[in-house]
Amino acid sequence: MNRTDMWRRVETHPKAWDMIVVGGGATGVGVAIDAAARGYDVLLLEQSDFGKGTSSRSTKLAHGGVRYLERGNIGLVMEALKERGLLLQNAPHLVHDLAFVVPNYDWWEAPFYGLGLKLYQLLAGKYGFGTSRILSKEETLQHLPTLKTEGLRGGAVYYDGQFDDARLLIHMVATAFEQGATLLNYVEVTGLTKDTQGFVDGVHARDVEDGNEFRAAAKVVVNATGAFTDLLRLKADSAAESMIVPSQGIHLVFEASFLQGTSAIMVPHTSDGRVLFAIPWHGHTLVGTTDTPIAAATLEPVATEQEIDFILATAGQYLTKAPTRDDVLSVFAGVRPLVRARDVASGVVSTAALSRDHVIHIDRSGLVTICGGKWTTYRHMAEDCVDQAATLAQLPDRPCTTHHLKIHGFHGAASAFGSLAVYGSDAYEIRKLIESDARLGEPLHPALPYRKAEVIWAARREMARTVEDALARRTRALFLNARAAVEMAPAVADLMASELGWDTSTRKKLLAAFLHIASNYVLSS
Ligand SMILES: Cc1cc2nc3c(=O)[nH]c(=O)nc-3n(C[C@H](O)[C@H](O)[C@H](O)COP(=O)(O)OP(=O)(O)OC[C@H]3O[C@@H](n4cnc5c(N)ncnc54)[C@H](O)[C@@H]3O)c2cc1C
């Protein structure tokens, strides 16, 4: 993948695209894969980097959503469990199963959660992961050696999936490309064009890198802009009612020692009624999340002090060594695009019932909006969306083919590649880079496993355009250890400058932009 070649495709494209997808998160890229795999001619435009929005800021769980069981939403859980299974089947290099332990402190918790988790396992059917069961106190501590023992009676273990969200996304971008889609990062859709009857028939867009503006025509435009959904809908219809209620969730990252072992903790009910996870992730401990209503979404949301204090305090209730601000290696926030639910009887849109399911909405102008849902269900969301968009655009009827479509880099034994496992079969190519120039095998920082070759690979083959792209989403340095990422940044800027031909002022500007953003991920004491 290469941005210059993608541009060439756009410039030489002779006619209207079958479909233009706006938004390069999990939802938009999923739609691009599905549509391209059906043989439709697809262009996807992302205003920033692929995954810059919510899709790089999740808890990184491919899950059915245990807590929806409590609310009796069996259909939603079964759908997500099936998608979790397909994700593991199609991207085994990026998704793996993980044991989650619910610690029990009251007598009723073991049978209560044990039963619920057994149901969760049964609902997965042939897509099941491991067998859930009730654990004794000793077994619970074998799974979670750093769990507080005071009052501990035992636990219940169940299995879900874990993945690296931004890396899965970039492999999905490559998959869409291999299926024939054209995808551009750093191109903002600034407006929608309409035909004489008022139907959306294309987009106005601007290349963020050089400011060039252009128009692209399409038989149908899909709005997959996540938390920014309403902004694009307003461009089609200035009277469009808002669909999204943005809510922020944060995570804190600590050293692995806070959660020794390979299992995660799942706390079903924190003091604010939410679920909290403490998860081993890339040799670190990831703890989250919160659910804080916010007025409006931004591309670079910032954790509040209240959210940070809440996670530290809650983690401290369960871990033998209570983490403090000084232990936080990185803090990151993401915005949930929750969909407003309309009360059927009154027709009133209320914020009281926020749907966690996905919604496909077709405006009077013919703009197709897909929002809500979750990372885990992106494939199913895309299938639904492309079915409806293709009908609307009168595209030739073609069935979805993504159930068994392998994600780029597919490899059944990628763990053999060590720290390069997340690249799947691309690890061979990165190794070749190191064989051709031993200096590219040098580590970028003693605290993280990343090597110089990964930056070259990101710029050359994964469309990384900025220092931030390389440190936040191609590698996960910023999310794992923000101070280390800041220390790595000048060397990363040098490597990217030589690969992408940056002049001194571009290098300086992109390094400064990264350092500015990174300051939000570093927690001062
Ligand atoms: C804290 C948190 C934890 C979560 N954890 C999980 C989890 O563990 N498992 C799970 O399954 N789900 C999880 N989710 C949900 C999941 O992350 C989201 O459902 C998913 O990432 C949404 O993807 P998206 O593509 O719709 O949105 P986004 O990833 O936000 O993508 C939308 C994109 O549209 C782009 N865009 C906007 N306007 C324009 C424009 N005018 N022109 C071009 N581009 C534009 C944006 O830049 C953005 O990149 C979590 C969500 C949050 C907030």
Side-chain angles (χ1 to χ4, degrees):
M1 287 191 304
N2 168 310
R3 197 166 182 271
T4 313
D5 288 346
M6 297 284 192
W7 260 119
R8 203 166 295 130
R9 284 181 174 203
V10 174
E11 281 159 2
T12 57
H13 197 266
K15 51 183 176 39
W17 299 85
D18 286 337
M19 188 180 295
I20 291 182
V21 182
V22 189
T27 308
V29 177
V31 169
I33 295 176
D34 186 301
R38 294 189 204 206
Y40 300 140
D41 191 19
V42 187
L43 172 65
L44 179 143
L45 302 173
E46 162 56 49
Q47 66 180 352
S48 176
D49 185 28
F50 302 119
K52 168 74 178 181
T54 307
S55 297
S56 59
R57 302 157 185 278
S58 75
T59 312
K60 293 118 187 47
L61 300 181
H63 63 162
V66 176
R67 77 190 135 140
Y68 304 129
L69 270 188
E70 272 186 323
R71 298 178 199 162
N73 204 338
I74 304 283
L76 191 67
V77 175
M78 281 181 83
E79 179 206 311
L81 286 172
K82 178 181 169 196
E83 291 303 320
R84 180 191 73 167
L86 292 178
L87 202 49
L88 179 66
Q89 170 195 292
N90 297 331
H93 52 310
L94 285 155
V95 184
H96 63 93
D97 61 348
L98 184 66
F100 288 75
V101 175
V102 182
N104 299 160
Y105 293 90
D106 275 314
W107 65 268
W108 55 269
E109 287 180 316
F112 182 77
Y113 291 119
L115 214 61
L117 294 171
K118 190 50 98 186
L119 175 64
Y120 188 69
Q121 178 200 326
L122 293 174
L123 288 175
K126 66 176 178 175
Y127 297 103
F129 280 30
T131 306
S132 62
R133 62 184 188 92
I134 292 174
L135 301 175
S136 66
K137 181 177 173 181
E138 291 67 34
E139 287 172 318
T140 303
L141 290 170
Q142 274 162 19
H143 275 276
L144 303 171
T146 56
L147 188 68
K148 267 193 181 164
T149 51
E150 205 185 322
L152 182 72
R153 287 171 168 264
V157 65
Y158 72 99
Y159 293 82
D160 248 326
Q162 183 186 36
F163 66 113
D164 179 331
D165 47 12
R167 283 247 39 107
L168 175 58
L169 187 71
I170 200 67
H171 286 245
M172 284 165 54
V173 171
T175 308
F177 173 65
E178 285 158 1
Q179 295 299 319
T182 301
L183 307 97
L184 276 167
N185 50 1
Y186 294 101
V187 174
E188 182 192 7
V189 169
T190 52
L192 296 165
T193 61
K194 290 184 179 170
D195 67 12
T196 48
Q197 292 173 308
F199 280 104
V200 170
D201 67 353
V203 301
H204 285 296
R206 186 178 66 92
D207 184 347
V208 174
E209 291 193 352
D210 61 14
N212 279 343
E213 296 187 356
F214 69 100
R215 177 182 185 278
K219 293 177 188 157
V220 63
V221 176
V222 173
N223 173 9
T225 55
F228 303 94
T229 293
D230 289 330
L231 292 180
L232 196 68
R233 290 181 60 242
L234 285 171
K235 291 187 201 299
D237 175 1
S238 56
E241 260 180 48
S242 87
M243 288 175 68
I244 295 293
V245 180
S247 155
Q248 175 166 298
I250 76 149
H251 292 88
L252 302 181
V253 179
F254 305 98
E255 273 180 6
S257 60
F258 282 90
L259 185 70
Q260 288 160 20
T262 52
S263 303
I265 304 178
M266 194 274 217
V267 178
H269 290 284
T270 58
S271 61
D272 74 345
R274 279 196 56 75
V275 173
L276 189 100
F277 293 101
I279 307 172
W281 187 59
H282 286 331
H284 292 70
T285 301
L286 177 71
V287 185
T289 180
T290 51
D291 200 349
T292 313
I294 51 169
T298 57
L299 262 185
E300 199 49 71
V302 179
T304 65
E305 288 299 317
Q306 218 177 357
E307 288 176 304
I308 294 165
D309 289 345
F310 173 76
I311 293 204
L312 286 174
T314 312
Q317 287 169 19
Y318 291 90
L319 299 173
T320 41
K321 185 178 161 205
T324 68
R325 290 178 75 88
D326 290 340
D327 298 312
V328 176
L329 299 176
S330 179
V331 49
F332 61 90
V335 183
R336 266 182 215 92
L338 298 174
V339 182
R340 284 179 205 265
R342 185 182 284 276
D343 183 85
V344 181
S346 66
V348 173
V349 172
S350 89
T351 52
L354 299 173
S355 170
R356 304 264 165 175
D357 214 343
H358 73 267
V359 168
I360 294 169
H361 176 90
I362 304 181
D363 279 294
R364 272 175 309 199
S365 64
L367 176 69
V368 178
T369 292
I370 172 149
C371 54
K374 49 187 176 164
W375 232 121
T376 311
T377 55
Y378 85 84
R379 194 212 59 81
H380 177 70
M381 292 167 66
E383 178 178 354
D384 250 11
C385 178
V386 175
D387 281 348
Q388 298 198 31
T391 304
L392 184 73
Q394 298 182 310
L395 298 177
D397 200 9
R398 293 177 189 146
C400 170
T401 62
T402 56
H403 288 83
H404 305 294
L405 182 69
K406 292 184 168 61
I407 297 296
H408 174 87
F410 178 95
H411 199 290
S415 57
F417 300 128
S419 68
L420 298 179
V422 286
Y423 294 92
S425 58
D426 283 347
Y428 290 113
E429 302 291 326
I430 297 173
R431 282 182 176 173
K432 272 194 219 159
L433 285 177
I434 296 171
E435 279 161 25
S436 67
D437 181 351
R439 279 170 308 173
L440 295 180
E442 290 168 9
L444 284 156
H445 196 283
L448 292 168
Y450 302 118
R451 287 181 270 174
K452 291 180 176 172
E454 293 175 69
V455 177
I456 298 295
W457 179 256
R460 192 175 293 170
R461 297 289 292 276
E462 295 184 335
M463 290 174 76
R465 305 295 299 171
T466 69
V467 176
E468 185 205 333
D469 298 348
L471 284 168
R473 289 170 295 275
R474 301 308 182 280
T475 72
R476 306 311 309 273
L478 181 63
F479 285 72
L480 291 171
N481 187 330
R483 284 196 177 84
V486 164
E487 286 163 18
M488 288 156 73
V492 169
D494 288 342
L495 288 162
M496 292 192 78
S498 72
E499 180 63 26
L500 297 175
W502 295 345
D503 58 21
T504 317
S505 83
T506 307
R507 178 195 175 280
K508 198 174 158 194
K509 189 179 84 185
L510 293 174
L511 179 57
F514 172 72
L515 297 178
H516 177 69
I517 282 174
S519 63
N520 291 331
Y521 294 68
V522 176
L523 206 58
S524 51
S525 357

